Amino acid sequence: MDPALIGGIQTSTLIQPDWSSSPVFRVGGGYRWGGGSRISLSYWQFDDDQGVTADGPGLGNLVYTIGPFLDTGAGYNNMGNPGHADFNAALTAQTVDIAWGRQKMMSDYFDVEWSLGLRYAHFEETISGFYDDDASTGLTFGSVRWGAYKFNEAEMIGARAAVRCTYFLTDRIAGTGSIGFSMLEGEVSSVSSFWDSDAGGRPAASATDVDDNRSGRIQDLDVGLMLFFMDDMLRIKLGYESSFWDGIPSDLMRNPTGSVANLRNRDDLSFSAYTLGLYLEF
């Protein structure tokens, strides 16, 4: 976090990783009966990591936001303002879906397919790195490198409902779109630590928080163009999809004990992607 003093009021700008595009994959299979009913199983995963560095202006003017504050015996202390920060952030998200659905032709050109099932969702966020203080910015402990670490994890399971509509523009091209909702229950945990990387005998701190009765939801949306080949046995889909996770990617250590001011809670996260899909039916 990089604060600035403007007109006597301290304002802050969060320094965060510049998340870039990363490959994401989904794989699945299923069985369809002649009457239009089907059962399916699918797996989706996102995995990415990015680094971020920052230097404070002047004598150093960054604020510690990763790791709990140190209890010096005379109250909580953030040691001053570090002049340099270097961190790596990694995200992993996964879902497993099992569903039963049914397709119904509404007309010669339009069909609707609905599905009901179960979803398992897993989320991990790891932030690790260090802050550097020198004699001018390390107001309490002088020149030192502080290691900091935070790990957030969530595992949830619950019900999912979805509906897909497909409109055939020609015999070989169709526009398709779907929306899905998941209501989940499970556990969220956060671990955070802060220590002296120079092993100079300075104090260290660690904290853990667990919420084992957490509710979350996921909203999925996708639109695309479907191309049909080989008597409809081969399908290629070009599209766009997004997924909004709420209550699952939570940071329970967002406001550690000793914080001067509360940071805005982080309880939601969005994923989006342009997609190329290959479907085989036999």
Side-chain angles (χ1 to χ4, degrees):
M1 180 177 287
D2 180 12
L5 194 63
I6 301 175
I9 300 175
Q10 180 168 295
T11 63
S12 297
T13 300
L14 287 175
I15 300 169
Q16 56 189 352
D18 183 16
W19 296 104
S20 59
S21 299
S22 299
V24 179
F25 76 90
R26 185 194 308 275
V27 62
Y31 180 82
R32 185 184 298 274
W33 286 270
S37 299
R38 69 172 177 89
I39 188 170
S40 63
L41 176 68
S42 66
Y43 173 81
W44 171 87
Q45 177 174 304
F46 172 88
D47 195 354
D48 193 19
D49 63 272
Q50 298 290 331
V52 60
T53 62
D55 291 290
L59 296 178
N61 202 24
L62 300 173
V63 177
Y64 302 92
T65 57
I66 306 298
F69 282 43
L70 299 180
D71 188 352
T72 62
Y76 291 94
N77 191 295
N78 69 344
M79 296 79 68
N81 298 318
H84 177 75
D86 192 321
F87 281 89
N88 185 77
L91 287 180
T92 298
Q94 301 151 330
T95 60
V96 178
D97 296 309
I98 182 169
W100 180 81
R102 186 171 180 83
Q103 182 182 30
K104 181 176 178 59
M105 294 296 300
M106 307 302 293
S107 71
D108 292 340
Y109 305 100
F110 182 68
D111 70 58
V112 176
E113 181 175 0
W114 57 265
S115 63
L116 298 172
L118 292 176
R119 164 167 283 183
Y120 164 81
H122 178 240
F123 175 84
E124 286 186 6
E125 178 184 30
T126 305
I127 304 173
S128 59
F130 61 86
Y131 296 105
D132 280 340
D133 285 346
D134 58 29
S136 62
T137 61
L139 302 182
T140 302
F141 299 106
S143 179
V144 61
R145 170 166 289 184
W146 299 98
Y149 171 82
K150 182 182 285 188
F151 178 71
N152 300 312
E153 183 178 21
E155 283 191 295
M156 294 191 181
I157 191 170
R160 183 177 189 268
V163 61
R164 174 175 295 280
C165 298
T166 302
Y167 185 82
F168 288 84
L169 304 172
T170 70
D171 292 341
R172 293 287 175 259
I173 303 175
T176 183
S178 73
I179 188 169
F181 296 94
S182 306
M183 301 299 295
L184 310 174
E185 297 286 335
E187 180 179 284
V188 175
S189 62
S190 294
V191 177
S192 185
S193 55
F194 197 89
W195 67 94
D196 173 12
S197 294
D198 294 336
R202 301 172 180 87
S206 62
T208 302
D209 198 357
V210 178
D211 185 348
D212 59 3
N213 189 27
R214 188 81 171 188
S215 297
R217 65 184 179 92
I218 299 177
Q219 178 180 310
D220 302 310
L221 174 68
D222 83 74
V223 293
L225 206 61
M226 190 81 77
L227 310 177
F228 297 82
F229 304 93
M230 299 171 55
D231 295 328
D232 297 346
M233 294 178 60
L234 171 64
R235 304 176 186 181
I236 297 177
K237 180 187 172 187
L238 306 173
Y240 172 84
E241 65 179 40
S242 66
S243 186
F244 177 74
W245 294 38
D246 182 37
I248 304 169
S250 299
D251 185 348
L252 303 180
M253 300 301 299
R254 188 77 166 180
N255 298 297
T257 302
S259 298
V260 177
N262 288 338
L263 298 174
R264 180 177 61 85
N265 290 334
R266 202 288 308 279
D267 282 334
D268 56 70
L269 196 63
S270 296
F271 302 94
S272 59
Y274 294 102
T275 59
L276 171 63
L278 179 67
Y279 302 82
L280 293 174
E281 188 169 321
F282 49 87

